[in-house]
Amino acid sequence: MERVDRCVVLVDAGYLLGAAASLLAGEPARSRITVDHAALIQGLRERAEADTEQPLLRIYWFDGAPDRVPQPEHRRLRVMSRVTVRLGALTRSDGRWAQKGVDAAMHAELTELARNRACSDVVLVTGDGDLLPGLMSAKEHGVAVHLWAVQAADGDYNQSEDLVAEADERRVLDRAWITKAVRAKENGGICAPQPRPRPEIAAILSAPLPEAALAASAERASEAQAAAARAPAPPRPDTAPDEPAPAHGPKGVPTPKDLAALRAAAGAPAAATQSAPVPSATLRWSSDRGWADRSPLGEPPETASLPTLAQVTTAEQRWADREEDITTVGGDPFEVGQVFARRWMERLPETVPLQKLSTMYPRIPHRIDGELLRYAARFGLLAHKDDQIDEHDRYAIRAGFWREIDITAAVEHAPAPE
């Protein structure tokens, strides 16, 4: 079998992006950097063709993902020209994420390419010494192996010395080259703007509870303490053993039942003497799994009957949405919420009373909220290794939704230019 004169690039994404994060942000967490994948792939192609003096056959992108489910960046990469994505598992151990199966997949691909004489030159962007047997096998089949490193943050090696010694050619991707496609995030990696405060929520939290609700809450607290005394349980690490039970709900926040009594009292004459009025908004209360938005009185008919995005989306729009998700939506939680809200509002009939929606802040109507979170799950935002829901992501998704609602409302109510 005659060997084909062309080059192939094998990229260990964990090494490339982790080393880039160390160089630009001071730590190897990929969440600290923003990557222009189109520019990065183009840079790899141009550099490989220049170094090997051979045309590119393909770039193989090896990375880890929870349960091997493609993440937003993987979906964007695999539709690019001459790019093939290979995914290993991503597991969490001792508080750190680790790739599993990526090195084995790179070894198998490298060996197969060399054995089949599919290329004359292979570019390896990796630092792991576990790939040494595959590198040596490729050399034995007459393939020239080019090893690329990312400039180390401390000026030292960030690759296996054995790997460096066995490579035919070596190259360092320096800071100037890396920054053409990668940059450090500002504000410590927080990329979602914080939602603006809403005074009506603060008003609810500061409003005094009626005596009936306080009495009921105290009764519940007494029952809980009695039950705890009968069946003592070890204290939580973050709670002192003698800490008294809260007066009304966890963290001193009224439960939905308390709030229902509070709203009922607000309609009584005595409520008129309260210093702070009680607005008709939703309360955030604490549950065992974190903060959740709950409405004790249900949704108004106007919002409960709002159509979902699926109901107002045609087949052609659904196809276009999927293309946009793959090619342009980055998968940041805040951005996902904005994209969903923008599509939904653009397609709603003009007769839908959206102004009623703003009175429900921060709670999104149940059917719309469920659809929003299912949409976000496409980007891997909700499914984590330990099968726990990331509440920070949930709030960022919903904050993006409300920010887009606010922007649209501001434009619609802006005075016309004279």
Side-chain angles (χ1 to χ4, degrees):
M1 183 185 298
E2 184 179 354
R3 185 185 64 193
V4 179
D5 291 332
R6 53 194 179 188
C7 67
V8 171
V9 182
L10 305 183
V11 180
D12 179 349
Y15 166 77
L16 173 60
L17 301 182
S22 295
L23 179 64
L24 302 180
E27 59 180 272
R30 289 162 61 170
S31 61
R32 297 293 307 276
I33 57 175
T34 298
V35 183
D36 183 340
H37 290 92
L40 182 58
I41 293 299
Q42 184 62 27
L44 289 169
R45 177 172 187 166
E46 293 175 354
R47 187 68 176 264
E49 291 181 337
D51 280 11
T52 65
E53 298 182 348
Q54 303 293 346
L56 177 76
L57 170 62
R58 190 174 297 116
I59 295 176
Y60 288 90
W61 185 271
F62 295 87
D63 202 1
D67 299 323
R68 290 183 167 86
V69 176
Q71 301 299 292
E73 64 182 271
H74 304 139
R75 287 195 292 270
R76 290 195 299 274
L77 284 163
R78 65 186 183 182
V79 297
M80 293 181 184
S81 177
R82 299 297 181 100
V83 176
T84 295
V85 176
R86 297 279 189 260
L87 294 179
L90 195 63
T91 59
R92 193 173 182 85
S93 176
D94 298 328
R96 297 176 64 104
W97 295 100
Q99 296 181 157
K100 298 294 183 182
V102 172
D103 295 334
M106 289 187 70
H107 178 278
E109 199 72 58
L110 175 59
T111 303
E112 195 69 14
L113 288 167
R115 181 184 296 117
N116 293 328
R117 296 181 175 272
C119 59
S120 58
D121 297 75
V122 168
V123 174
L124 296 178
V125 186
T126 185
D128 199 328
D130 290 345
L131 204 59
L132 182 61
L135 185 153
M136 297 175 67
S137 175
K139 290 175 62 177
E140 290 172 0
H141 284 87
V143 174
V145 179
H146 305 249
L147 182 66
W148 289 1
V150 176
Q151 179 182 338
D154 56 5
D156 201 355
Y157 282 114
N158 55 12
Q159 290 178 309
S160 160
E161 289 189 20
D162 292 336
L163 210 61
V164 171
E166 281 293 332
D168 295 308
E169 302 285 346
R170 292 177 292 277
R171 185 76 64 185
V172 174
L173 304 176
D174 59 17
R175 180 187 293 267
W177 190 92
I178 292 293
T179 52
K180 292 178 181 178
V182 183
R183 63 179 178 84
K185 289 181 180 176
E186 299 177 357
N187 302 322
I190 300 175
C191 53
Q194 296 297 317
R196 63 183 178 86
R198 293 276 180 152
E200 61 269 27
I201 300 301
I204 288 181
L205 295 177
S206 63
L209 284 171
E211 293 184 3
L214 287 173
S217 298
E219 184 179 351
R220 287 196 301 272
S222 299
E223 292 175 355
Q225 286 181 333
R230 290 193 299 269
R236 295 179 304 176
D238 58 341
T239 305
D242 299 329
E243 185 182 44
H248 45 73
K251 298 186 179 180
V253 179
T255 66
K257 185 175 180 180
D258 296 334
L259 183 59
L262 174 60
R263 288 184 176 177
T273 62
Q274 291 179 353
S275 58
V278 182
S280 59
T282 312
L283 178 69
R284 298 166 94 183
W285 73 296
S286 178
S287 66
D288 292 339
R289 290 183 177 275
W291 291 93
D293 292 336
R294 303 293 170 90
S295 173
L297 302 181
E299 296 178 13
E302 296 89 341
T303 56
S305 61
L306 284 172
T308 63
L309 176 61
Q311 290 173 331
V312 294
T313 300
T314 66
E316 292 78 7
Q317 288 173 327
R318 190 172 297 110
W319 184 88
D321 290 347
R322 196 66 174 167
E323 283 293 301
E324 182 183 8
D325 291 343
I326 293 173
T327 58
T328 62
V329 179
D332 173 81
F334 192 86
E335 178 193 12
V336 166
Q338 286 187 301
V339 170
F340 180 94
R342 183 175 65 251
R343 291 175 183 169
W344 183 59
M345 287 187 296
E346 288 174 350
R347 298 167 191 174
L348 284 176
E350 294 182 0
T351 56
V352 172
L354 265 183
Q355 64 274 13
K356 187 69 175 178
L357 182 65
S358 62
T359 65
M360 294 188 62
Y361 183 95
R363 185 172 184 267
I364 300 170
H366 178 71
R367 293 163 66 239
I368 307 302
D369 189 52
E371 189 181 36
L372 169 62
L373 295 180
R374 287 193 298 273
Y375 170 67
R378 297 182 191 174
F379 298 89
L381 292 174
L382 305 182
H384 291 262
K385 288 215 183 281
D386 49 4
D387 295 327
Q388 297 295 319
I389 299 300
D390 189 327
E391 291 294 324
H392 181 273
D393 281 354
R394 283 178 175 263
Y395 280 111
I397 293 163
R398 289 163 174 156
F401 178 92
W402 282 112
R403 177 63 62 85
E404 194 66 23
I405 296 288
D406 288 345
I407 291 173
T408 303
V411 171
E412 290 178 353
H413 293 87
E418 299 180 356

